Amino acid sequence: MRISKTTKALAIVAGLSAVAMTAQAKLVKPNTYTTNVVIGKVFYAGAKDNNGKNYLNSKYIELYNNSADTLDVAGMMVALVESEAKANAWTTDKMAEAHKDSVALKQIFRLPAGSTMNPFTSLVIANSAIDHSSNGEGFPDLSQADYEAKDTSGKTANNEAVAAIELVYSCYPTISNMNLVQGGPCAVVLLTEDTKTDDMPQVFSPGKDKGNKFVLVPKSKVIDGVEIVKMSEEDILRLDNSIDSGYVAITSKTGYTGEVVYRKTAFVVGGQTVLFDTNNSSLDFGVSTDMRPRLYDAEASGLTPMAITIPESGFLPINIDQPFCGPRNMTLCYVSGSAKSSDLRYNEFRGDSTLLIKGDWIAVAMPGTYDLQLSSSQGVMKTRSTSQQWTDESRRELTGSQKTRRIYKFSNVKGHVGFQRDENYADVKWNTADFAEDEHLYITLTDAIGNAIFEANGAASYDELSFIPWHGIMPEDVAAQGISSMQDEKSLTSQATFDLQGRRTAATQLRPGLYIKNGKKIIVK
């Protein structure tokens, strides 16, 4: 899960207060690796009104901030996937043959400037942001919706008091509000704010040269997606497993049932609801006849506590064999990298922010005993990035085809948080490591990934990459106290200079600005 460059920060820096770093973390952007904003509800079915007639105007999409962060969602896009009949649809098999890295979209809407989401709250986008409750039993009051997809045809009542969501693209010249198909299919995706739709190709249905044209958007721009199919047509999928490995549908082929597909509750911490997000809508979503927005299930069952103890180093490698969540005052992270990226990524979650996948993790917190919550009622979440291998052995020497890999140990010393090359092997034997007690955690990097990240971290080459700083926000109490590990700080590169993004910088090439050297803040004028 990607940490965008605009939100990267060195977590613990001597001379900078915890207050300053907390302020820096107050507003973050959703992105494709940290899925902190999810599709919470889609009401597309419509219903029968008081006169037994089909009523469609109360449709809406609800987004949910599934994290403890305040999100800057300005520019983020809500898009509807094409919904043609099977013969004309861009199904997963046809997309794999012709456009394997893309999603075919029929409509795209953009959230306007200034759009934000508070922690664990919803954002509602309505086709008609009025009170519909007088039109039928249980109909929703959408007069307090956050945004409205304005109908320029005049067929649907608009609410002038509710701000418009911008229509970026529609394959239908006469339809300006959300074309939510009442019986399905009705797949929805969220796109990053930097998605350049003007530069993307458009295509007709497979094998056609006329009719509706759909925008092809790279899958890499998808933050979240839900595959909504027509009942009994689960074979007509539009989204591949990297976006959604399941699907959801209402109980009718034609709709008008008053049913909402909604994301189920994973757990509740401190009164805050955290929703399931395993990239599998068959597991994550349910169907409800409660059409009202901003309502979710009570706490899910099947959570079992498991105690872990964080040592004086402030971190603990753990391997969990079930999906799980942690306490509020813990950060849980795994490490990933790609030859296509410019940085090693620290895929990092607050303990109470989401349900996490089983596997290898690093728990970071103040020393003490904490309870994780294991979920026996939920399937395994799929991730889109490859975790780099790490271990807690006290000695490792890579052999054979892995000899070219480099070994870095985890450093959690105040002012120097990240992955440090073992100083005992400064000139040779990058692929060998000996660690003392409480210094066992290390990762290995391939040449391709190492070469991709060295420049971003201020090294002249991969061979000179001696420290990869931590990118992300640590718990505030850790940042305030600066946990010191058992290693000797003198063993670190004391003369190294870092900018405030944690990148090592040559002391002779400093531009005017603020830097960290010897654990102290310096200003270059």
PDB file of all heavy atoms in Angstrom, residues 264-268 274-278 280 282-285 297-304 321-325 355-356 373-381:
ATOM      1  N   LYS A 264     -19.790  -4.226   5.578  1.00  0.00           N
ATOM      2  CA  LYS A 264     -20.041  -4.732   6.931  1.00  0.00           C
ATOM      3  C   LYS A 264     -18.992  -4.215   7.911  1.00  0.00           C
ATOM      4  O   LYS A 264     -17.879  -3.845   7.530  1.00  0.00           O
ATOM      5  CB  LYS A 264     -20.049  -6.259   6.909  1.00  0.00           C
ATOM      6  CG  LYS A 264     -21.198  -6.852   6.106  1.00  0.00           C
ATOM      7  CD  LYS A 264     -21.221  -8.363   6.165  1.00  0.00           C
ATOM      8  CE  LYS A 264     -20.089  -8.991   5.390  1.00  0.00           C
ATOM      9  NZ  LYS A 264     -20.215 -10.462   5.296  1.00  0.00           N
ATOM     10  N   THR A 265     -19.361  -4.203   9.169  1.00  0.00           N
ATOM     11  CA  THR A 265     -18.483  -3.735  10.237  1.00  0.00           C
ATOM     12  C   THR A 265     -17.486  -4.824  10.616  1.00  0.00           C
ATOM     13  O   THR A 265     -17.871  -5.966  10.883  1.00  0.00           O
ATOM     14  CB  THR A 265     -19.305  -3.329  11.464  1.00  0.00           C
ATOM     15  OG1 THR A 265     -20.146  -2.231  11.104  1.00  0.00           O
ATOM     16  CG2 THR A 265     -18.409  -2.927  12.624  1.00  0.00           C
ATOM     17  N   ALA A 266     -16.199  -4.450  10.663  1.00  0.00           N
ATOM     18  CA  ALA A 266     -15.152  -5.391  11.077  1.00  0.00           C
ATOM     19  C   ALA A 266     -15.007  -5.376  12.599  1.00  0.00           C
ATOM     20  O   ALA A 266     -14.924  -6.422  13.231  1.00  0.00           O
ATOM     21  CB  ALA A 266     -13.823  -5.041  10.422  1.00  0.00           C
ATOM     22  N   PHE A 267     -14.955  -4.190  13.167  1.00  0.00           N
ATOM     23  CA  PHE A 267     -14.865  -4.059  14.617  1.00  0.00           C
ATOM     24  C   PHE A 267     -15.141  -2.614  15.004  1.00  0.00           C
ATOM     25  O   PHE A 267     -15.200  -1.726  14.154  1.00  0.00           O
ATOM     26  CB  PHE A 267     -13.499  -4.511  15.151  1.00  0.00           C
ATOM     27  CG  PHE A 267     -12.324  -3.817  14.528  1.00  0.00           C
ATOM     28  CD1 PHE A 267     -11.789  -2.672  15.091  1.00  0.00           C
ATOM     29  CD2 PHE A 267     -11.735  -4.311  13.377  1.00  0.00           C
ATOM     30  CE1 PHE A 267     -10.701  -2.026  14.527  1.00  0.00           C
ATOM     31  CE2 PHE A 267     -10.634  -3.672  12.800  1.00  0.00           C
ATOM     32  CZ  PHE A 267     -10.126  -2.533  13.376  1.00  0.00           C
ATOM     33  N   VAL A 268     -15.341  -2.401  16.290  1.00  0.00           N
ATOM     34  CA  VAL A 268     -15.565  -1.058  16.823  1.00  0.00           C
ATOM     35  C   VAL A 268     -14.544  -0.828  17.921  1.00  0.00           C
ATOM     36  O   VAL A 268     -14.426  -1.636  18.846  1.00  0.00           O
ATOM     37  CB  VAL A 268     -16.996  -0.905  17.375  1.00  0.00           C
ATOM     38  CG1 VAL A 268     -17.177   0.478  17.997  1.00  0.00           C
ATOM     39  CG2 VAL A 268     -18.022  -1.135  16.278  1.00  0.00           C
ATOM     40  N   VAL A 274     -15.054   0.533  12.274  1.00  0.00           N
ATOM     41  CA  VAL A 274     -14.093   0.219  11.219  1.00  0.00           C
ATOM     42  C   VAL A 274     -14.723  -0.858  10.340  1.00  0.00           C
ATOM     43  O   VAL A 274     -15.186  -1.886  10.838  1.00  0.00           O
ATOM     44  CB  VAL A 274     -12.756  -0.284  11.802  1.00  0.00           C
ATOM     45  CG1 VAL A 274     -11.769  -0.596  10.674  1.00  0.00           C
ATOM     46  CG2 VAL A 274     -12.168   0.764  12.737  1.00  0.00           C
ATOM     47  N   LEU A 275     -14.766  -0.617   9.042  1.00  0.00           N
ATOM     48  CA  LEU A 275     -15.445  -1.512   8.108  1.00  0.00           C
ATOM     49  C   LEU A 275     -14.475  -2.504   7.484  1.00  0.00           C
ATOM     50  O   LEU A 275     -13.290  -2.230   7.336  1.00  0.00           O
ATOM     51  CB  LEU A 275     -16.126  -0.692   7.008  1.00  0.00           C
ATOM     52  CG  LEU A 275     -17.086   0.404   7.484  1.00  0.00           C
ATOM     53  CD1 LEU A 275     -17.676   1.145   6.294  1.00  0.00           C
ATOM     54  CD2 LEU A 275     -18.193  -0.171   8.356  1.00  0.00           C
ATOM     55  N   PHE A 276     -15.008  -3.662   7.097  1.00  0.00           N
ATOM     56  CA  PHE A 276     -14.199  -4.667   6.411  1.00  0.00           C
ATOM     57  C   PHE A 276     -13.644  -4.104   5.107  1.00  0.00           C
ATOM     58  O   PHE A 276     -14.336  -3.400   4.371  1.00  0.00           O
ATOM     59  CB  PHE A 276     -15.044  -5.900   6.085  1.00  0.00           C
ATOM     60  CG  PHE A 276     -15.189  -6.860   7.222  1.00  0.00           C
ATOM     61  CD1 PHE A 276     -16.428  -7.334   7.606  1.00  0.00           C
ATOM     62  CD2 PHE A 276     -14.083  -7.321   7.907  1.00  0.00           C
ATOM     63  CE1 PHE A 276     -16.573  -8.229   8.646  1.00  0.00           C
ATOM     64  CE2 PHE A 276     -14.206  -8.220   8.951  1.00  0.00           C
ATOM     65  CZ  PHE A 276     -15.454  -8.676   9.317  1.00  0.00           C
ATOM     66  N   ASP A 277     -12.408  -4.454   4.815  1.00  0.00           N
ATOM     67  CA  ASP A 277     -11.812  -4.075   3.530  1.00  0.00           C
ATOM     68  C   ASP A 277     -10.774  -5.127   3.159  1.00  0.00           C
ATOM     69  O   ASP A 277      -9.592  -4.977   3.437  1.00  0.00           O
ATOM     70  CB  ASP A 277     -11.166  -2.695   3.606  1.00  0.00           C
ATOM     71  CG  ASP A 277     -10.555  -2.275   2.277  1.00  0.00           C
ATOM     72  OD1 ASP A 277     -10.982  -2.823   1.245  1.00  0.00           O
ATOM     73  OD2 ASP A 277      -9.662  -1.412   2.269  1.00  0.00           O
ATOM     74  N   THR A 278     -11.233  -6.208   2.537  1.00  0.00           N
ATOM     75  CA  THR A 278     -10.335  -7.302   2.169  1.00  0.00           C
ATOM     76  C   THR A 278     -10.199  -7.449   0.662  1.00  0.00           C
ATOM     77  O   THR A 278      -9.692  -8.452   0.184  1.00  0.00           O
ATOM     78  CB  THR A 278     -10.833  -8.632   2.756  1.00  0.00           C
ATOM     79  OG1 THR A 278     -12.049  -9.001   2.090  1.00  0.00           O
ATOM     80  CG2 THR A 278     -11.081  -8.529   4.250  1.00  0.00           C
ATOM     81  N   ASN A 280     -12.505  -8.107  -1.307  1.00  0.00           N
ATOM     82  CA  ASN A 280     -13.405  -9.183  -1.708  1.00  0.00           C
ATOM     83  C   ASN A 280     -14.813  -8.795  -1.270  1.00  0.00           C
ATOM     84  O   ASN A 280     -15.184  -8.936  -0.108  1.00  0.00           O
ATOM     85  CB  ASN A 280     -12.988 -10.513  -1.071  1.00  0.00           C
ATOM     86  CG  ASN A 280     -13.843 -11.677  -1.545  1.00  0.00           C
ATOM     87  OD1 ASN A 280     -14.982 -11.495  -1.986  1.00  0.00           O
ATOM     88  ND2 ASN A 280     -13.295 -12.876  -1.463  1.00  0.00           N
ATOM     89  N   SER A 282     -17.593 -10.155  -1.779  1.00  0.00           N
ATOM     90  CA  SER A 282     -18.414 -11.265  -1.298  1.00  0.00           C
ATOM     91  C   SER A 282     -18.308 -11.389   0.215  1.00  0.00           C
ATOM     92  O   SER A 282     -19.249 -11.830   0.882  1.00  0.00           O
ATOM     93  CB  SER A 282     -17.978 -12.575  -1.962  1.00  0.00           C
ATOM     94  OG  SER A 282     -18.124 -12.497  -3.362  1.00  0.00           O
ATOM     95  N   LEU A 283     -17.160 -11.004   0.762  1.00  0.00           N
ATOM     96  CA  LEU A 283     -16.944 -11.043   2.203  1.00  0.00           C
ATOM     97  C   LEU A 283     -17.240  -9.702   2.854  1.00  0.00           C
ATOM     98  O   LEU A 283     -17.778  -9.637   3.962  1.00  0.00           O
ATOM     99  CB  LEU A 283     -15.498 -11.446   2.502  1.00  0.00           C
ATOM    100  CG  LEU A 283     -15.045 -12.812   2.002  1.00  0.00           C
ATOM    101  CD1 LEU A 283     -13.546 -12.961   2.203  1.00  0.00           C
ATOM    102  CD2 LEU A 283     -15.789 -13.924   2.723  1.00  0.00           C
ATOM    103  N   ASP A 284     -16.878  -8.631   2.177  1.00  0.00           N
ATOM    104  CA  ASP A 284     -16.937  -7.303   2.796  1.00  0.00           C
ATOM    105  C   ASP A 284     -18.340  -6.712   2.840  1.00  0.00           C
ATOM    106  O   ASP A 284     -18.632  -5.887   3.713  1.00  0.00           O
ATOM    107  CB  ASP A 284     -16.036  -6.331   2.031  1.00  0.00           C
ATOM    108  CG  ASP A 284     -14.569  -6.680   2.151  1.00  0.00           C
ATOM    109  OD1 ASP A 284     -14.223  -7.461   3.049  1.00  0.00           O
ATOM    110  OD2 ASP A 284     -13.772  -6.189   1.339  1.00  0.00           O
ATOM    111  N   PHE A 285     -19.209  -7.090   1.889  1.00  0.00           N
ATOM    112  CA  PHE A 285     -20.488  -6.409   1.740  1.00  0.00           C
ATOM    113  C   PHE A 285     -21.665  -7.293   2.126  1.00  0.00           C
ATOM    114  O   PHE A 285     -21.619  -8.521   2.026  1.00  0.00           O
ATOM    115  CB  PHE A 285     -20.680  -5.937   0.293  1.00  0.00           C
ATOM    116  CG  PHE A 285     -20.001  -4.635  -0.005  1.00  0.00           C
ATOM    117  CD1 PHE A 285     -18.635  -4.589  -0.224  1.00  0.00           C
ATOM    118  CD2 PHE A 285     -20.709  -3.446  -0.051  1.00  0.00           C
ATOM    119  CE1 PHE A 285     -17.999  -3.389  -0.495  1.00  0.00           C
ATOM    120  CE2 PHE A 285     -20.084  -2.248  -0.314  1.00  0.00           C
ATOM    121  CZ  PHE A 285     -18.729  -2.214  -0.535  1.00  0.00           C
ATOM    122  N   ASP A 297     -23.652  -1.706  10.584  1.00  0.00           N
ATOM    123  CA  ASP A 297     -23.926  -2.732  11.582  1.00  0.00           C
ATOM    124  C   ASP A 297     -23.245  -2.417  12.910  1.00  0.00           C
ATOM    125  O   ASP A 297     -22.261  -1.677  12.966  1.00  0.00           O
ATOM    126  CB  ASP A 297     -23.419  -4.090  11.102  1.00  0.00           C
ATOM    127  CG  ASP A 297     -24.310  -4.667  10.011  1.00  0.00           C
ATOM    128  OD1 ASP A 297     -25.463  -4.244   9.907  1.00  0.00           O
ATOM    129  OD2 ASP A 297     -23.835  -5.540   9.258  1.00  0.00           O
ATOM    130  N   ALA A 298     -23.752  -3.047  13.951  1.00  0.00           N
ATOM    131  CA  ALA A 298     -23.057  -3.021  15.233  1.00  0.00           C
ATOM    132  C   ALA A 298     -21.784  -3.849  15.112  1.00  0.00           C
ATOM    133  O   ALA A 298     -21.513  -4.454  14.078  1.00  0.00           O
ATOM    134  CB  ALA A 298     -23.960  -3.577  16.337  1.00  0.00           C
ATOM    135  N   GLU A 299     -21.014  -3.897  16.158  1.00  0.00           N
ATOM    136  CA  GLU A 299     -19.720  -4.582  16.127  1.00  0.00           C
ATOM    137  C   GLU A 299     -19.859  -6.027  15.681  1.00  0.00           C
ATOM    138  O   GLU A 299     -20.757  -6.750  16.093  1.00  0.00           O
ATOM    139  CB  GLU A 299     -19.080  -4.531  17.510  1.00  0.00           C
ATOM    140  CG  GLU A 299     -17.677  -5.144  17.548  1.00  0.00           C
ATOM    141  CD  GLU A 299     -16.992  -4.893  18.877  1.00  0.00           C
ATOM    142  OE1 GLU A 299     -17.585  -4.208  19.724  1.00  0.00           O
ATOM    143  OE2 GLU A 299     -15.866  -5.375  19.050  1.00  0.00           O
ATOM    144  N   ALA A 300     -18.977  -6.453  14.788  1.00  0.00           N
ATOM    145  CA  ALA A 300     -18.985  -7.819  14.283  1.00  0.00           C
ATOM    146  C   ALA A 300     -18.531  -8.784  15.373  1.00  0.00           C
ATOM    147  O   ALA A 300     -17.782  -8.430  16.281  1.00  0.00           O
ATOM    148  CB  ALA A 300     -18.080  -7.947  13.064  1.00  0.00           C
ATOM    149  N   SER A 301     -18.975 -10.020  15.263  1.00  0.00           N
ATOM    150  CA  SER A 301     -18.578 -11.050  16.217  1.00  0.00           C
ATOM    151  C   SER A 301     -17.330 -11.762  15.715  1.00  0.00           C
ATOM    152  O   SER A 301     -16.868 -11.533  14.606  1.00  0.00           O
ATOM    153  CB  SER A 301     -19.712 -12.050  16.402  1.00  0.00           C
ATOM    154  OG  SER A 301     -20.021 -12.672  15.171  1.00  0.00           O
ATOM    155  N   GLY A 302     -16.799 -12.655  16.538  1.00  0.00           N
ATOM    156  CA  GLY A 302     -15.682 -13.489  16.097  1.00  0.00           C
ATOM    157  C   GLY A 302     -14.313 -12.902  16.330  1.00  0.00           C
ATOM    158  O   GLY A 302     -13.341 -13.315  15.689  1.00  0.00           O
ATOM    159  N   LEU A 303     -14.186 -11.932  17.250  1.00  0.00           N
ATOM    160  CA  LEU A 303     -12.882 -11.355  17.563  1.00  0.00           C
ATOM    161  C   LEU A 303     -12.301 -12.027  18.809  1.00  0.00           C
ATOM    162  O   LEU A 303     -12.966 -12.148  19.828  1.00  0.00           O
ATOM    163  CB  LEU A 303     -12.991  -9.847  17.783  1.00  0.00           C
ATOM    164  CG  LEU A 303     -13.397  -9.007  16.574  1.00  0.00           C
ATOM    165  CD1 LEU A 303     -13.503  -7.542  16.953  1.00  0.00           C
ATOM    166  CD2 LEU A 303     -12.422  -9.186  15.421  1.00  0.00           C
ATOM    167  N   THR A 304     -11.039 -12.434  18.700  1.00  0.00           N
ATOM    168  CA  THR A 304     -10.368 -13.110  19.812  1.00  0.00           C
ATOM    169  C   THR A 304      -9.099 -12.348  20.173  1.00  0.00           C
ATOM    170  O   THR A 304      -8.263 -12.098  19.300  1.00  0.00           O
ATOM    171  CB  THR A 304      -9.992 -14.555  19.420  1.00  0.00           C
ATOM    172  OG1 THR A 304     -11.172 -15.249  19.014  1.00  0.00           O
ATOM    173  CG2 THR A 304      -9.345 -15.282  20.590  1.00  0.00           C
ATOM    174  N   ASP A 321      -1.551 -15.457  11.958  1.00  0.00           N
ATOM    175  CA  ASP A 321      -2.126 -16.417  11.019  1.00  0.00           C
ATOM    176  C   ASP A 321      -3.604 -16.179  10.734  1.00  0.00           C
ATOM    177  O   ASP A 321      -4.261 -17.006  10.105  1.00  0.00           O
ATOM    178  CB  ASP A 321      -1.915 -17.854  11.519  1.00  0.00           C
ATOM    179  CG  ASP A 321      -2.604 -18.122  12.860  1.00  0.00           C
ATOM    180  OD1 ASP A 321      -3.262 -17.197  13.379  1.00  0.00           O
ATOM    181  OD2 ASP A 321      -2.479 -19.250  13.365  1.00  0.00           O
ATOM    182  N   GLN A 322      -4.146 -15.047  11.201  1.00  0.00           N
ATOM    183  CA  GLN A 322      -5.525 -14.672  10.896  1.00  0.00           C
ATOM    184  C   GLN A 322      -5.575 -13.175  10.626  1.00  0.00           C
ATOM    185  O   GLN A 322      -4.705 -12.427  11.077  1.00  0.00           O
ATOM    186  CB  GLN A 322      -6.450 -14.982  12.076  1.00  0.00           C
ATOM    187  CG  GLN A 322      -6.627 -16.448  12.402  1.00  0.00           C
ATOM    188  CD  GLN A 322      -7.612 -16.628  13.549  1.00  0.00           C
ATOM    189  OE1 GLN A 322      -8.723 -16.104  13.516  1.00  0.00           O
ATOM    190  NE2 GLN A 322      -7.202 -17.372  14.565  1.00  0.00           N
ATOM    191  N   PRO A 323      -6.593 -12.699   9.910  1.00  0.00           N
ATOM    192  CA  PRO A 323      -6.787 -11.246   9.830  1.00  0.00           C
ATOM    193  C   PRO A 323      -6.924 -10.685  11.244  1.00  0.00           C
ATOM    194  O   PRO A 323      -7.460 -11.345  12.134  1.00  0.00           O
ATOM    195  CB  PRO A 323      -8.102 -11.127   9.047  1.00  0.00           C
ATOM    196  CG  PRO A 323      -8.190 -12.381   8.255  1.00  0.00           C
ATOM    197  CD  PRO A 323      -7.588 -13.444   9.120  1.00  0.00           C
ATOM    198  N   PHE A 324      -6.450  -9.456  11.452  1.00  0.00           N
ATOM    199  CA  PHE A 324      -6.407  -8.923  12.806  1.00  0.00           C
ATOM    200  C   PHE A 324      -6.431  -7.408  12.806  1.00  0.00           C
ATOM    201  O   PHE A 324      -6.235  -6.750  11.782  1.00  0.00           O
ATOM    202  CB  PHE A 324      -5.147  -9.422  13.536  1.00  0.00           C
ATOM    203  CG  PHE A 324      -3.874  -8.786  13.034  1.00  0.00           C
ATOM    204  CD1 PHE A 324      -3.264  -7.762  13.747  1.00  0.00           C
ATOM    205  CD2 PHE A 324      -3.281  -9.203  11.854  1.00  0.00           C
ATOM    206  CE1 PHE A 324      -2.099  -7.170  13.300  1.00  0.00           C
ATOM    207  CE2 PHE A 324      -2.112  -8.620  11.386  1.00  0.00           C
ATOM    208  CZ  PHE A 324      -1.526  -7.598  12.113  1.00  0.00           C
ATOM    209  N   CYS A 325      -6.659  -6.831  13.988  1.00  0.00           N
ATOM    210  CA  CYS A 325      -6.506  -5.399  14.194  1.00  0.00           C
ATOM    211  C   CYS A 325      -5.767  -5.201  15.505  1.00  0.00           C
ATOM    212  O   CYS A 325      -5.635  -6.125  16.305  1.00  0.00           O
ATOM    213  CB  CYS A 325      -7.863  -4.693  14.219  1.00  0.00           C
ATOM    214  SG  CYS A 325      -8.979  -5.272  15.519  1.00  0.00           S
ATOM    215  N   LEU A 355      -8.857  -3.731   9.275  1.00  0.00           N
ATOM    216  CA  LEU A 355      -8.576  -5.148   9.478  1.00  0.00           C
ATOM    217  C   LEU A 355      -7.400  -5.514   8.589  1.00  0.00           C
ATOM    218  O   LEU A 355      -7.433  -5.281   7.383  1.00  0.00           O
ATOM    219  CB  LEU A 355      -9.803  -5.988   9.117  1.00  0.00           C
ATOM    220  CG  LEU A 355      -9.724  -7.457   9.513  1.00  0.00           C
ATOM    221  CD1 LEU A 355      -9.911  -7.612  11.017  1.00  0.00           C
ATOM    222  CD2 LEU A 355     -10.800  -8.261   8.785  1.00  0.00           C
ATOM    223  N   LEU A 356      -6.354  -6.071   9.163  1.00  0.00           N
ATOM    224  CA  LEU A 356      -5.113  -6.315   8.442  1.00  0.00           C
ATOM    225  C   LEU A 356      -4.979  -7.786   8.054  1.00  0.00           C
ATOM    226  O   LEU A 356      -5.543  -8.673   8.689  1.00  0.00           O
ATOM    227  CB  LEU A 356      -3.930  -5.887   9.312  1.00  0.00           C
ATOM    228  CG  LEU A 356      -3.961  -4.419   9.745  1.00  0.00           C
ATOM    229  CD1 LEU A 356      -2.874  -4.138  10.758  1.00  0.00           C
ATOM    230  CD2 LEU A 356      -3.821  -3.500   8.540  1.00  0.00           C
ATOM    231  N   GLN A 373      -6.536  -8.100  18.148  1.00  0.00           N
ATOM    232  CA  GLN A 373      -7.830  -8.766  18.014  1.00  0.00           C
ATOM    233  C   GLN A 373      -7.825  -9.578  16.720  1.00  0.00           C
ATOM    234  O   GLN A 373      -7.748  -9.018  15.627  1.00  0.00           O
ATOM    235  CB  GLN A 373      -8.969  -7.737  17.991  1.00  0.00           C
ATOM    236  CG  GLN A 373      -9.091  -6.907  19.250  1.00  0.00           C
ATOM    237  CD  GLN A 373      -9.518  -7.715  20.457  1.00  0.00           C
ATOM    238  OE1 GLN A 373     -10.222  -8.714  20.337  1.00  0.00           O
ATOM    239  NE2 GLN A 373      -9.080  -7.289  21.644  1.00  0.00           N
ATOM    240  N   LEU A 374      -7.874 -10.906  16.852  1.00  0.00           N
ATOM    241  CA  LEU A 374      -7.896 -11.794  15.686  1.00  0.00           C
ATOM    242  C   LEU A 374      -9.335 -11.994  15.239  1.00  0.00           C
ATOM    243  O   LEU A 374     -10.241 -12.155  16.057  1.00  0.00           O
ATOM    244  CB  LEU A 374      -7.266 -13.133  16.033  1.00  0.00           C
ATOM    245  CG  LEU A 374      -5.870 -13.110  16.665  1.00  0.00           C
ATOM    246  CD1 LEU A 374      -5.345 -14.528  16.819  1.00  0.00           C
ATOM    247  CD2 LEU A 374      -4.910 -12.278  15.832  1.00  0.00           C
ATOM    248  N   SER A 375      -9.545 -12.020  13.924  1.00  0.00           N
ATOM    249  CA  SER A 375     -10.883 -12.166  13.379  1.00  0.00           C
ATOM    250  C   SER A 375     -11.038 -13.533  12.729  1.00  0.00           C
ATOM    251  O   SER A 375     -10.443 -13.803  11.679  1.00  0.00           O
ATOM    252  CB  SER A 375     -11.168 -11.070  12.346  1.00  0.00           C
ATOM    253  OG  SER A 375     -12.418 -11.294  11.731  1.00  0.00           O
ATOM    254  N   SER A 376     -11.852 -14.397  13.355  1.00  0.00           N
ATOM    255  CA  SER A 376     -12.108 -15.719  12.782  1.00  0.00           C
ATOM    256  C   SER A 376     -13.274 -15.697  11.812  1.00  0.00           C
ATOM    257  O   SER A 376     -13.544 -16.686  11.128  1.00  0.00           O
ATOM    258  CB  SER A 376     -12.408 -16.716  13.909  1.00  0.00           C
ATOM    259  OG  SER A 376     -13.539 -16.287  14.651  1.00  0.00           O
ATOM    260  N   SER A 377     -13.966 -14.554  11.699  1.00  0.00           N
ATOM    261  CA  SER A 377     -15.170 -14.484  10.868  1.00  0.00           C
ATOM    262  C   SER A 377     -14.904 -13.841   9.511  1.00  0.00           C
ATOM    263  O   SER A 377     -15.823 -13.643   8.731  1.00  0.00           O
ATOM    264  CB  SER A 377     -16.256 -13.677  11.592  1.00  0.00           C
ATOM    265  OG  SER A 377     -15.812 -12.346  11.820  1.00  0.00           O
ATOM    266  N   GLN A 378     -13.656 -13.526   9.214  1.00  0.00           N
ATOM    267  CA  GLN A 378     -13.364 -12.790   7.985  1.00  0.00           C
ATOM    268  C   GLN A 378     -12.309 -13.495   7.161  1.00  0.00           C
ATOM    269  O   GLN A 378     -11.377 -14.085   7.686  1.00  0.00           O
ATOM    270  CB  GLN A 378     -12.885 -11.367   8.326  1.00  0.00           C
ATOM    271  CG  GLN A 378     -12.644 -10.501   7.109  1.00  0.00           C
ATOM    272  CD  GLN A 378     -13.909 -10.311   6.301  1.00  0.00           C
ATOM    273  OE1 GLN A 378     -14.997 -10.425   6.816  1.00  0.00           O
ATOM    274  NE2 GLN A 378     -13.770 -10.039   5.021  1.00  0.00           N
ATOM    275  N   GLY A 379     -12.455 -13.426   5.848  1.00  0.00           N
ATOM    276  CA  GLY A 379     -11.486 -14.031   4.945  1.00  0.00           C
ATOM    277  C   GLY A 379     -10.193 -13.253   4.892  1.00  0.00           C
ATOM    278  O   GLY A 379     -10.041 -12.204   5.518  1.00  0.00           O
ATOM    279  N   VAL A 380      -9.260 -13.721   4.110  1.00  0.00           N
ATOM    280  CA  VAL A 380      -7.930 -13.125   4.032  1.00  0.00           C
ATOM    281  C   VAL A 380      -7.930 -11.957   3.057  1.00  0.00           C
ATOM    282  O   VAL A 380      -8.344 -12.080   1.917  1.00  0.00           O
ATOM    283  CB  VAL A 380      -6.888 -14.175   3.588  1.00  0.00           C
ATOM    284  CG1 VAL A 380      -5.518 -13.533   3.442  1.00  0.00           C
ATOM    285  CG2 VAL A 380      -6.839 -15.312   4.592  1.00  0.00           C
ATOM    286  N   MET A 381      -7.464 -10.825   3.523  1.00  0.00           N
ATOM    287  CA  MET A 381      -7.351  -9.654   2.671  1.00  0.00           C
ATOM    288  C   MET A 381      -6.245  -9.842   1.650  1.00  0.00           C
ATOM    289  O   MET A 381      -5.197 -10.403   1.943  1.00  0.00           O
ATOM    290  CB  MET A 381      -7.046  -8.427   3.540  1.00  0.00           C
ATOM    291  CG  MET A 381      -6.786  -7.156   2.773  1.00  0.00           C
ATOM    292  SD  MET A 381      -6.402  -5.806   3.910  1.00  0.00           S
ATOM    293  CE  MET A 381      -5.981  -4.514   2.747  1.00  0.00           C
TER     294      MET A 381
END
